């Protein structure tokens, strides 16, 4: 079955990116479609939507969204895109996302593109849309069964988990270097802790940047992008499989904000343009402060971010701010707190504005172990996030959990 | 009742709403409060960086700062409005707030709120003006 992704966009044809969108969809077994609307329907759709943009193509976008909301056009998922830096486009894009979420149950992803956008940047997002549509049964799984393994090959760290009958038996992580070698090393450590050998493993799931390489190497039953896998791991670890939640994962290379309903994502944003808002920036900060990253959180908790100005979107300029602050005699504690606050603030500004935050908020990923960052997120959101135990293992746990579903289905 | 006026700095709409017994929600009041109750950080309007960040509630990070700053002032008034009067195609002298994108967004936010709204075209002559005042009176009296 080919998944139909309805494209609601303005400017893609004139930005030279339309072939990239089609290519990304095709590479995950999906097809981009354009809801048909009559010329006469456009004004009425705009009137109903309530936002009357000047740009005719944005009006067409709105009419297409209304056609989907009214069930006049059949699609499985929605991709909403407008040009980066177009104010009118940004306003319409976000409100249309809200509109289709209120009026349909289709998963949605939004994106603002430049002429440099390539299919690879869209791949994980498109893959997640397809997963949500085509693997609903697997995503609905709440219990892990049998003996399974999950490997999360992240940009900064590689993690492995061994699970048996809904319990974690073994786990290990290490900084990523060679994809296969890092994964093999953490898997061996996790198997040792679990007291099992490789041939005992009934199924394996891989996720993260190295998922395809590892999937092929280990003959994994499940090879899946990190948006859906991490969501499952997060709700399992936090014991919030039912109801709604927002998952925040500040990663080494990109950040994810995902809303879930009964453990299945229905909206997500994935940022990666500005490194000043990433875990990598915090790593750079600790290098400059010459402290292990494991000490950054406690140090930040003792400081006050207000005493040191740091709010650059760029990691290079962020480090310049840090150097300036240290030169002015600011304490390590205040600088550490300011760095955490800066990352949390940017995640709030850049990611959390593109989704409707649902409660509770679950913060996961390696950076959730930095207590100062969790505190900063809590201060900015006005609500302390839940950080489940083993929160850095979400991807590996999600892989082990979901691959046990593949086992039952005999795939 | 609290009635949002658009353009939000229209003195005429402000006066009409007040005359018929309601509380107009206007730019003047919002900015007056800022100028009186805070130190002047960002003259002349005293819209601060924190305001612009607060504007993210109404529009995403990619939306230009001038729109978010404006929405930081009017958004909370829209949130508390019970009704609104919107004058369309008004000339600058009637009440000018400078940014068409913000103006379109304000109308959208009002519609999304689902409150009673009187949309009126700017009157071109005395008769149209009298008819508008009569409509506004009827609308405002009907609000209870």
């Amino acid at each position: 079955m080919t998944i139909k992704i309805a494209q609601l966009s303005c400017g893609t044809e004139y930005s030279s990116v339309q072939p990239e969108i089609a290519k990304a969809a095709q590479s995950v077994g999906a097809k981009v479609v354009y809801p048909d609307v009559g010329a006469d329907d456009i004004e009425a759709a705009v009137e109903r939507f309530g936002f009357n943009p000047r740009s005719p193509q944005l009006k067409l976008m709105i009419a297409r969204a209304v056609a989907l909301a009214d069930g006049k056009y059949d699609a499985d998922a929605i991709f909403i895109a407008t040009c980066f830096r177009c104010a009118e486009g940004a306003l319409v894009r976000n409100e249309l996302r809200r509109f289709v979420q209120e009026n349909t149950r289709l998963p949605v992803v939004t994106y603002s593109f430049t002429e440099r956008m390539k299919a690879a940047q869209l791949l994980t997002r498109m893959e997640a849309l397809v997963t949500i549509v085509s693997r609903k049964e697997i995503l609905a799984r709440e219990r892990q069964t049998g003996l399974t393994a999950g490997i999360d090959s992240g940009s900064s760290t590689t993690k492995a988990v061994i699970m048996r009958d809904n319990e974690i038996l073994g786990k290990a992580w290490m900084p990523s270097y060679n994809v296969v070698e890092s994964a093999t090393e953490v898997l061996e450590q996790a198997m040792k802790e679990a007291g099992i050998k490789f041939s005992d493993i009934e199924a394996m799931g891989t996720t993260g940047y190295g998922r395809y390489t590892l999937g092929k190497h280990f003959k994994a039953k499940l090879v899946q992008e990190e948006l859906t896998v991490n969501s499952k791991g997060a709700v399992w670890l936090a014991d919030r499989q039912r109801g709604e939640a927002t998952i925040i994962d500040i990663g080494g290379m990109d950040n994810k904000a995902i809303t879930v309903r009964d453990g299945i994502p229905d909206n997500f944003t994935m940022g990666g343009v500005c490194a000043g808002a990433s875990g990598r920036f915090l790593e750079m900060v600790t290098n400059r402060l010459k402290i292990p990253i494991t000490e950054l959180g406690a140090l930040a908790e003792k400081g006050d971010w207000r005493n040191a100005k740091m709010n650059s979107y760029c990691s290079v300029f962020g480090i310049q701010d840090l150097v300036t602050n240290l030169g002015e005699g600011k304490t390590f504690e205040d600088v550490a707190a300011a760095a955490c606050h800066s990352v949390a603030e940017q995640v709030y500004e850049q990611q959390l504005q593109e989704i409707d935050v649902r409660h509770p908020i679950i913060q996961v990923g390696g950076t959730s172990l930095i207590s100062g960052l969790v505190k900063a997120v809590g201060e900015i959101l006005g609500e302390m996030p839940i950080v489940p135990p083993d929160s850095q293992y979400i991807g590996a746990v999600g892989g082990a959990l979901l691959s046990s579903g593949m086992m039952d289905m005999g795939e | 009742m609290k009635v949002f006026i658009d353009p939000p700095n229209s003195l005429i709409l402000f006066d009409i709403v007040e005359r018929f017994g309601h509380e107009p929600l206007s730019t003047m009041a919002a900015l007056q409060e800022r100028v009186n109750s805070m130190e002047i950080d960002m003259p002349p309007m005293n819209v601060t960086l924190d305001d612009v960040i607060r504007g993210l509630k109404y529009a995403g990070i990619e939306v230009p700062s001038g729109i978010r700053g404006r929405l930081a002032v009017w958004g909370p008034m829209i949130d508390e409005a019970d009704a609104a009067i919107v004058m369309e195609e008004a000339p600058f002298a009637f009440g000018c707030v400078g940014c068409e994108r913000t103006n379109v967004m304000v109308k959208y936010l009002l519609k999304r709120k689902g409150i009673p709204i009187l949309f009126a075209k700017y009157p071109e002559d005395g008769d149209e003006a009298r008819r508008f005042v009569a409509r506004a009176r009827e609308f405002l009296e009907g609000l209870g």
Side-chain angles (χ1 to χ4, degrees):
Chain A
M1 155 187 160
T2 304
I3 305 297
K4 289 196 285 182
I5 300 176
Q7 180 178 327
L8 311 178
S9 62
C10 181
T12 55
E13 310 86 341
Y14 290 92
S15 301
S16 79
V17 298
Q18 189 56 44
E20 297 296 322
I21 296 170
K23 197 165 130 192
Q26 199 179 9
S27 65
V28 294
K31 186 172 81 169
V32 169
V33 296
Y34 309 94
D36 300 323
V37 290
D40 296 342
D41 300 332
I42 295 176
E43 286 306 324
V46 170
E47 177 62 29
R48 176 175 155 198
F49 179 60
F51 189 107
N52 188 3
R54 293 281 162 150
S55 309
Q57 198 168 356
L58 290 174
K59 291 180 196 269
L60 177 61
M61 243 174 106
I62 292 168
R64 284 180 163 153
V66 170
L68 287 167
D70 289 345
K72 289 181 183 165
Y73 191 88
D74 188 32
D76 303 303
I78 301 174
F79 175 67
I80 304 177
T82 58
C83 299
F84 181 57
R85 289 197 179 130
C86 172
E88 192 176 44
L91 290 167
V92 171
R93 191 180 70 233
N94 198 41
E95 297 311 318
L96 263 195
R97 191 264 310 153
R98 195 194 305 270
F99 175 80
V100 292
Q101 283 203 299
E102 282 169 1
N103 292 283
T104 75
R105 295 299 294 252
L106 302 176
V108 187
V109 63
T110 58
Y111 198 81
S112 67
F113 55 84
T114 69
E115 70 278 19
R116 305 269 176 186
M117 187 195 77
K118 295 293 170 208
Q121 290 163 263
L122 291 179
L123 199 62
T124 302
R125 295 166 176 86
M126 290 284 190
E127 196 184 338
L129 282 181
V130 170
T131 305
I132 293 164
V133 175
S134 62
R135 291 187 164 174
K136 268 208 169 109
E137 277 177 49
I138 294 170
L139 289 176
R141 167 161 289 260
E142 294 179 0
R143 277 184 66 80
Q144 182 273 345
T145 53
L147 182 64
T148 61
I151 303 179
D152 178 2
S153 175
S155 66
S156 292
T157 57
T158 304
K159 287 80 68 179
V161 154
I162 304 290
M163 292 180 77
R164 176 185 276 151
D165 298 334
N166 218 33
E167 273 184 37
I168 297 172
L169 297 185
K171 62 200 176 199
W173 73 273
M174 67 176 300
S176 299
Y177 62 107
N178 176 295
V179 169
V180 173
E181 285 175 32
S182 314
T184 306
E185 212 172 313
V186 287
L187 182 63
E188 278 172 2
Q189 286 176 37
M191 288 193 301
K192 193 175 169 191
E193 190 183 321
I196 63 152
K197 51 188 187 300
F198 188 74
S199 56
D200 296 331
I201 296 171
E202 296 171 83
M204 181 188 282
T206 62
T207 191
Y209 288 97
R211 62 187 177 278
Y212 291 113
T213 305
L214 295 182
K216 203 170 157 189
H217 180 80
F218 290 112
K219 295 185 176 55
K221 280 198 187 298
L222 179 107
V223 179
Q224 201 161 295
E225 38 62 45
E226 55 270 31
L227 285 158
T228 53
V229 174
N230 288 10
S231 302
K232 285 307 289 186
V235 295
W236 187 89
L237 284 165
D239 196 17
R240 299 275 173 166
Q241 306 231 40
R242 291 297 167 101
E244 298 187 326
T246 301
I247 296 159
I248 299 175
D249 180 2
I250 303 172
M253 214 157 81
D254 51 38
N255 306 323
K256 300 158 202 89
I258 309 162
T259 54
V260 293
R261 186 175 285 129
D262 293 337
I264 299 178
D266 55 5
N267 187 209
F268 49 82
T269 67
M270 196 173 166
V273 178
C274 308
S278 68
R280 184 61 51 87
F281 172 63
L282 295 177
E283 223 172 75
M284 291 164 74
V285 168
T286 56
N287 286 341
R288 181 63 183 78
L289 297 177
K290 296 209 184 317
I291 56 164
I293 194 147
T294 46
E295 290 177 16
L296 181 69
L299 195 68
E301 282 199 273
K302 288 183 208 150
D304 184 347
W305 61 270
R306 293 166 196 85
N307 295 336
K309 184 93 175 156
M310 281 179 76
N311 58 6
S312 175
Y313 288 162
C314 165
S315 63
V316 174
F317 292 130
I319 294 299
Q320 279 185 6
D321 284 348
L322 182 140
V323 171
T324 307
N325 278 303
L326 292 175
E328 288 170 357
K330 304 282 164 60
T331 65
F332 271 31
E333 286 83 354
D334 287 345
V335 168
C340 288
H341 187 268
S342 167
V343 170
E345 192 174 44
Q346 287 178 57
V347 169
Y348 170 74
E349 289 178 14
Q350 294 175 34
Q351 242 90 62
L352 295 176
Q353 304 310 318
E354 299 264 324
I355 58 168
D356 290 320
V357 174
R358 298 176 192 156
H359 305 278
I361 296 160
I362 305 170
Q363 192 172 342
V364 289
T367 55
S368 64
L369 302 178
I370 301 170
S371 56
L373 180 61
V374 178
K375 183 184 166 199
V377 169
E379 276 176 6
I380 286 167
L381 295 179
E383 170 186 333
M384 278 309 284
I386 297 169
V387 179
D390 297 322
S391 58
Q392 73 273 41
Y393 288 105
I394 38 160
V397 166
L401 170 67
L402 294 175
S403 63
S404 72
M406 303 291 280
M407 199 167 66
D408 290 351
M409 293 173 77
E411 284 186 40
Chain B
M1 292 174 87
K2 292 178 176 176
V3 181
F4 184 83
I5 55 172
D6 183 32
N9 58 352
S10 163
L11 294 172
I12 295 174
L13 288 182
F14 187 101
D15 183 59
I16 289 174
V17 170
E18 207 172 36
R19 272 172 197 256
F20 293 111
H22 295 285
E23 181 188 342
L25 298 172
S26 71
T27 305
M28 291 74 83
L31 292 182
Q32 183 72 44
E33 194 181 318
R34 274 156 214 273
V35 173
N36 285 354
S37 64
M38 296 197 292
E39 289 178 23
I40 305 287
D41 290 331
M42 302 286 166
M45 302 295 194
N46 219 12
V47 171
T48 63
L49 173 62
D50 286 346
D51 283 322
V52 182
I53 292 171
R54 270 194 286 276
L56 286 165
K57 180 181 172 191
Y58 305 99
I61 188 73
E62 204 191 310
V63 173
S65 49
I67 298 178
R68 284 186 279 123
R70 287 176 168 96
L71 290 174
V73 178
W74 301 317
M77 290 194 286
I78 295 171
D79 289 344
E80 62 172 321
D82 302 307
I85 297 181
V86 176
M87 181 67 81
E88 295 181 298
E89 297 171 37
F92 293 157
F94 186 76
C96 166
V97 285
C99 173
E100 173 62 9
R101 302 288 169 259
T102 313
N103 295 346
V104 174
M105 191 62 182
V106 163
K107 288 180 184 65
Y108 167 76
L109 290 172
L110 287 169
K111 286 179 189 171
R112 202 177 81 194
K113 195 164 162 41
I115 52 176
I117 306 172
L118 173 67
F119 287 98
K121 193 178 154 294
Y122 183 76
E124 298 293 338
D125 55 34
D127 284 347
E128 282 188 12
R130 276 187 284 278
R131 278 199 294 276
F132 164 68
V133 174
R135 277 183 70 201
R137 177 182 184 164
E138 190 184 348
F139 174 77
L140 292 164
E141 285 178 349
L143 293 175

